Structures are given as structure tokens and as C-alpha cells.
Amino acid sequence: MGKLLWIASYPKSGNTWVRSFLYNLLHRTSAPADINQLNTMALNTSSRRWFEEVASEPLEELAPEELARLRPLAQQRMAASRPNAIPVKTHNYLGDWFNVPLHEMALTAGAIYIIRNPLDLVLSLAPHRSISVDQAIDFISTRGVGTKLASSHMPEVYDTWSNHVASWTAKKSAALLVVRYEDLLSQPLNAFGAIARLVGAGGDSENLDRAIRHSSFSVLSEQEEKQGFREKPSNAEAFFRVGKAEQWRTELTPNQVRRVISDHREQMTRFGYVPAEYV
């Protein structure tokens, strides 16, 4: 039985980018890996299939607390599906849902946590969820926020952006790597190199360079444009939108910036996200 390596983030923080990098890195691909094949490398903790395998009744007939109790069983199935460490995508916060852990620590090998400036995140989250930027700002500040049971996904529990970040990063661990989205952009060799070392594939600089190139935003965006991306919400225009930092400086109003900082100042300060003019 393998163990689960969590690829964790609040939605729209770079999870797909990191999974694409890992696919290209670990498979040593000569051409960019197909974005629609990412789930063959990294499993999805919210995929219905694992829960349907351990449920005795149709999922729609179960109460939320009954769905919650299936999660450890589903994660045991994931761990049993492969012999080694298994990358698993998660957008859930690190905590409980109906008194059941959202992530089974006994099955955990470690975690890569990707964090993104919430000032930019809300600009990406708004079109992804087909809501306004003001609604996105409210969304990331709402306690217990998440998603419901859907045709292909189990409920996800995000909580506020601040609580999500704190849940994953409050305790330091050698098995936890925290990576800023902005550093993946500005210092790719250092940031992606740290990820490669965590998974035991950091000794080949040529393969690292190739994996970074093959998972660049331009490559991912071009693939989506040509063939579509299965993970794109049906009501979203595109999954890969801009892929840049500091967009908020021209896209958010001063009042919107102050709202985000007011709600999330502590965690934003921890990771260097409070602009000097708003300190």
C-alpha cells in the first residue's frame, strides 16, 4: 500500500500548474504532458469514484455526515491503488468535516501546499465560479464555505482563505513544503526545484528545466485552447486565464484591496502579501 502526497491549495492558487510540473518531471516526457491525463498521475481526493466503491447506497441518498464517514475509507482505497507515494489533489482545508478528518494522517506521506496572494486569487476565482469580484471577496471570507455533492465530485470544504492557509501551514514539518505561486513565477528553478527534491527527483537539472518549460502557463493555456480541459467548470470561459502576479494593482479598487486585507491581514503578512502602501 502506498501513502498519499497531498498537492494542496485553496482553489485557483496553482494546483493544476504544480500537478502538470510533477507529471512532466516524474514521467520525464519528451513533449509536454497532456493536461487531460493529469489524473492518471495525481488522484483527486474529491472524485466520486473512490466513494462509490466504499458506499453501500447511492451517494445522493446519504446525509452529509454519512458522506463524511466515507472519506477515510475512500482514502484507504486510494492508498491501496498503488505501491508507492501517490500525489493527490486536494482543495480541502486541513481539518474535520462532521468530526471526520478530511485528510487521513495515517495514510499521509507529506504535502505540497501552494499559496497565492488573495488579491490576485479573487480575480481568478470570480470567472471560475461565474461570480463578481466582490462576491469572490465575500466567498474567501466566509466560514465553512465549500461545494456540494455533484455528478463527478464529492463536497469540498474550503473555509475562509485565512483558515485554509493557517490549517496547512501553522505547524512546520519536514514532510510539508509551502510554495508561493509568485515564487513559481519569479524563481522557477528554486521553487520547482524544491518540489522536485521533496519527491526525490531533484538531481537532474536537465529534466527539471524541461518539466518547467513543459508545464508553463503558455503551454497549458495553448493545450486548453486546442483540446479543452476536463477540469474546467462548464460555465467558465477558460480554466487558464492570465497566470500572472500583481494583476490586482490595475484590476481591484482601493476599497476592494482594503476589504481583502482587513479580512486576511494576519496570513497575508506571514507570506509577504500586504502591500507597503496598505501596511
Side-chain angles (χ1 to χ4, degrees):
M1 177 181 288
K3 286 209 168 184
L4 310 179
L5 173 66
W6 301 109
I7 314 300
S9 70
Y10 198 88
K12 304 309 294 181
S13 298
N15 199 299
T16 303
W17 188 10
V18 169
R19 285 184 292 129
S20 175
F21 164 76
L22 281 173
Y23 191 108
N24 283 285
L25 180 80
L26 298 176
H27 288 75
R28 306 180 71 87
T29 56
S30 58
D34 184 345
I35 56 173
N36 287 310
Q37 295 299 315
L38 294 183
N39 60 358
T40 64
M41 184 276 299
L43 307 181
N44 186 343
T45 192
S46 296
S47 174
R48 281 182 59 126
R49 59 166 286 205
W50 304 102
F51 293 78
E52 290 170 339
E53 289 179 7
V54 298
S56 58
E57 301 175 62
L59 298 181
E60 280 76 13
E61 296 181 8
L62 300 178
E65 55 269 30
E66 293 175 307
L67 292 175
R69 289 195 289 270
L70 293 177
R71 198 172 297 271
L73 301 176
Q75 291 178 7
Q76 289 173 16
R77 281 294 182 99
M78 294 180 200
S81 69
R82 298 179 193 175
N84 302 311
I86 308 160
V88 182
K89 167 191 174 181
T90 179
H91 285 318
N92 290 311
Y93 87 111
L94 187 59
D96 293 350
W97 188 50
F98 289 99
N99 297 315
V100 178
L102 288 161
H103 306 86
E104 194 66 29
M105 288 298 103
L107 300 172
T108 295
I112 299 167
Y113 186 74
I114 312 114
I115 181 172
R116 186 181 189 184
N117 189 338
L119 294 170
D120 282 327
L121 185 150
V122 294
L123 294 172
S124 186
L125 186 67
H128 183 75
R129 295 190 61 84
S130 297
I131 57 179
S132 70
V133 172
D134 282 321
Q135 288 173 318
I137 293 172
D138 290 338
F139 185 92
I140 71 168
S141 300
T142 301
R143 289 298 305 270
V145 75
T147 62
K148 297 180 180 180
L149 180 67
S151 60
S152 61
H153 283 80
M154 297 298 293
E156 293 181 322
V157 188
Y158 309 144
D159 211 345
T160 68
W161 179 86
S162 287
N163 287 347
H164 196 287
V165 171
S167 74
W168 280 99
T169 67
K171 295 181 180 179
K172 292 187 177 181
S173 168
L176 169 68
L177 175 65
V178 180
V179 183
R180 297 195 330 157
Y181 181 97
E182 296 75 19
D183 294 334
L184 294 172
L185 285 170
S186 64
Q187 305 172 48
L189 285 177
N190 288 338
F192 282 111
I195 295 173
R197 289 191 294 275
L198 181 73
V199 300
D204 186 339
S205 60
E206 182 179 344
N207 188 41
L208 174 63
D209 289 342
R210 182 171 53 244
I212 292 173
R213 291 195 311 272
H214 286 177
S215 57
S216 69
F217 182 85
S218 60
V219 170
L220 300 178
S221 181
E222 182 180 359
Q223 283 197 34
E224 180 184 19
E225 184 176 345
K226 288 182 177 179
Q227 65 192 49
F229 184 36
R230 294 171 186 164
E231 296 182 26
K232 180 187 78 67
S234 58
N235 54 357
E237 187 174 327
F239 187 93
F240 301 103
R241 197 180 68 89
V242 178
K244 295 180 180 179
E246 300 285 297
Q247 302 168 55
W248 65 268
R249 292 191 176 275
T250 57
E251 300 293 329
L252 294 183
T253 67
N255 183 54
Q256 288 172 327
V257 173
R258 284 190 289 268
R259 283 177 58 201
V260 173
I261 295 173
S262 175
D263 289 342
H264 305 287
R265 182 178 290 274
E266 180 180 355
Q267 298 304 321
M268 289 180 70
T269 299
R270 284 183 65 208
F271 291 95
Y273 288 142
V274 179
E277 62 268 37
Y278 289 91
V279 171

